[in-house]
Amino acid sequence: MAEPAGIKGMVDIPGDKSISHRAVMLASLARGTSRIRGFLRSGDTLATVAMMRSLGVAIHEVGPSELRIEGVGLAGLSRPDAVIDAGNSGTTMRIGAGLLAGQAFSSTITGDRYLLRRPMARVIKPLRLMGASVKGREKDTLPPLNISGGGLKGIRYPTPVASAQVKSAILVAGMFAEGTTTVVEPMPTRDHTERMLRSMGVDVVTDGREVALHPPGSLAPLDMEVPADFSAAAFFIVLAAAAHGTEVSLPGVGINGTRTGLLTVMRRMGADVRLDSRRDIGGEPVADLGLRGRGLSGTEITADEIPSMIDEVPAFCVAAAMAHGRSEVRGASELRTKESDRISSMIDALAELGVNCGEYPDGLWIEGPSVIRPGRRVDTRGDHRVAMAFMVLSTATGVPIELSDTACIETSFPGFMDLLADIAPPRLTSLP
Ligand code: S3P
């Protein structure tokens, strides 16, 4: 039902959030100076920068998206003077917990009111098995976390949930442990930590769903460029694919297969997506994405597809609302533990807009194409990806939607509204 929107142009997507976090944490532990170009400067990643500064690392902002980091070596971090604030960022808190577990000093890490509700037992348990003392609120399930580390030993740990944050927390702690640390995943998750550690000279071996790390003597500094963030590009992919007559190009986007499940899904829905000039940037595969809109049809997403599109489900939901036929997502209960409960955030908002849809305990269904009721208010629940998804729906359909909050978009994609306004006719852009 999407109107021909005349959406045409090139969009420069900012750097990858997951890779930016990792670059800051790992470069801080390197011996020597690292240069990170294409760094995503957002609320979440700046929380990681602040955390590493509070641990004694000198991090210089050389330009708007370039950092110079004076690594202090694996033994060089110092005790923070104050409580560390991860803000809204689960990645800062969870991978940060792995890093802090390796330190002989004690520290406390907290977050905003959304992060304080997110599950932490998944990192507390393995870090304790490695020998750290980690305590949390509500019987050690919620933040803030109090961590006293050091004297760790390597473990072999099957993670009960597919989580790159948990895997990375264990691997980072493993760098400070005696002996090998092995993580066995129920399903493969993003492997940016493993790739980056290898590029820094660490012996990390992946064998199927197992990743084994042998503690390094030291890490070589990074000199890298961060690819554009596929999860940010996803909003423009959906916008371009769902409307007719669009032509959008997105240069230099990361296409690591552990992240691009949405591409497979969008193609199944009928999207015309080209991947041109495939190349490697900073040890990650990258391509220029070209999209032409020709409308979409509904599809079913199963549990095995979820890890590679875990952050793209809000964008998928708005694509499904515009597609012909029924769409379904199952095996996705992890969505309930994100910045908001993304199953209920998306379904409540879509229902408010008049979309025929519903929830399952582990997923959702959506019947499209829907006629979107104009002028309705959507509660974003402070969740950046929910806000961006509805900006896309409004822009693609030309129906104004009022959002309870757009400031949350800063956590992952400052500049999103401007980029959207640049390629979409202004009359289609909703205002909060
Ligand atoms: C991330 C992993 C995913 C993802 C998050 C970023 C990462 O979380 O949803 O936005 O950078 O490792 P989980 O590890 O909880 O699945």
Side-chain angles (χ1 to χ4, degrees):
M1 64 138 290
E3 297 294 316
I7 295 168
K8 284 194 169 50
M10 191 179 90
V11 185
D12 262 319
I13 301 291
D16 188 278
K17 179 156 79 73
S18 291
I19 296 174
S20 295
H21 280 296
R22 287 157 171 78
V24 172
M25 287 191 236
L26 299 181
S28 295
L29 300 175
R31 193 186 280 164
T33 304
S34 291
R35 281 188 175 276
I36 320 292
R37 292 173 299 282
F39 169 72
L40 170 71
R41 198 176 187 288
S42 74
D44 273 17
T45 50
L46 289 176
T48 292
V49 168
M51 171 171 75
M52 298 317 301
R53 282 182 173 149
S54 78
L55 296 169
V57 182
I59 302 179
H60 312 280
E61 296 202 41
V62 182
S65 61
E66 185 170 336
L67 298 181
R68 200 177 73 234
I69 301 178
E70 319 274 357
V72 295
L74 282 165
L77 297 179
S78 51
R79 187 176 189 278
D81 291 333
V83 169
I84 297 167
D85 186 0
N88 191 244
S89 175
T91 309
T92 308
M93 181 168 287
R94 295 206 181 108
I95 307 184
L99 187 139
L100 294 168
Q103 313 308 314
F105 50 77
S106 58
S107 53
T108 302
I109 184 162
T110 190
D112 71 7
R113 65 193 168 103
Y114 303 103
L115 186 53
L116 288 176
R117 292 200 297 251
R118 298 184 63 188
M120 291 296 147
R122 53 184 65 192
V123 284
I124 292 177
K125 210 175 148 202
L127 295 176
R128 279 184 174 171
L129 286 173
M130 294 178 85
S133 157
V134 190
K135 297 191 179 77
R137 212 162 36 91
E138 297 290 328
K139 299 200 179 108
D140 303 320
T141 59
L142 294 175
L145 304 179
N146 293 310
I147 303 172
S148 297
L152 305 185
K153 55 182 188 317
I155 53 169
R156 179 185 168 82
Y157 190 73
T159 54
V161 284
S163 162
Q165 291 174 353
V166 173
K167 170 177 66 178
S168 301
I170 299 168
L171 292 177
V172 169
M175 291 203 295
F176 300 95
E178 207 185 291
T180 304
T181 293
T182 305
V183 181
V184 188
E185 299 192 275
M187 279 185 278
T189 63
R190 66 192 68 191
D191 62 354
H192 306 304
T193 305
E194 297 91 301
R195 284 170 184 261
M196 199 176 288
L197 285 173
R198 273 183 212 120
S199 81
M200 301 175 89
V202 183
D203 183 3
V204 182
V205 180
T206 304
D207 181 8
R209 292 189 190 145
E210 271 191 42
V211 189
L213 175 140
H214 305 280
S218 65
L219 302 185
L222 291 168
D223 183 359
M224 67 174 292
E225 173 139 6
V226 178
D229 194 330
F230 183 85
S231 298
F235 296 100
F236 290 92
I237 293 173
V238 166
L239 174 67
H244 288 267
T246 56
E247 269 184 56
V248 172
S249 58
L250 308 167
V253 178
I255 51 160
N256 181 321
T258 60
R259 296 285 299 279
T260 52
L262 183 78
L263 274 189
T264 315
V265 167
M266 294 299 291
R267 282 186 168 140
R268 204 156 73 217
M269 296 173 85
D272 179 356
V273 193
R274 277 188 339 274
L275 301 186
D276 296 326
S277 307
R278 287 170 183 252
R279 56 207 184 268
D280 260 39
I281 291 186
E284 293 277 346
V286 159
D288 300 332
L289 270 48
L291 289 121
R292 268 197 294 263
R294 56 182 187 197
L296 300 171
S297 51
T299 191
E300 282 175 22
I301 295 175
T302 48
D304 54 315
E305 290 184 301
I306 294 297
S308 66
M309 59 175 293
I310 186 71
D311 290 339
E312 284 62 74
V313 174
F316 167 77
C317 286
V318 302
M322 294 185 278
H324 285 264
R326 185 182 161 94
S327 290
E328 203 171 276
V329 178
R330 298 306 295 258
S333 45
E334 265 298 297
L335 291 173
R336 297 201 184 273
T337 72
K338 295 295 172 187
E339 286 83 328
S340 70
D341 172 343
R342 286 186 175 153
I343 295 178
S344 74
S345 304
M346 290 306 299
I347 291 303
D348 288 355
L350 287 169
E352 172 66 22
L353 297 172
V355 176
N356 190 13
C357 60
E359 283 188 27
Y360 299 112
D362 67 340
L364 50 88
W365 62 270
I366 295 168
E367 188 81 43
S370 303
V371 176
I372 307 296
R373 291 190 200 126
R376 296 294 170 120
R377 183 182 164 89
V378 157
D379 184 356
T380 66
R381 303 192 192 175
D383 186 329
H384 54 128
R385 298 199 201 280
V386 173
M388 288 188 277
F390 285 100
M391 292 287 298
V392 165
L393 183 64
S394 170
T395 304
T397 58
V399 177
I401 299 171
E402 193 187 320
L403 302 178
S404 61
D405 164 34
T406 52
C408 55
I409 293 172
E410 291 289 308
T411 64
S412 71
F413 198 164
F416 170 75
M417 308 261 252
D418 292 339
L419 289 177
L420 192 61
D422 279 351
I423 63 155
R427 71 191 163 86
L428 298 183
T429 307
S430 77
L431 294 171

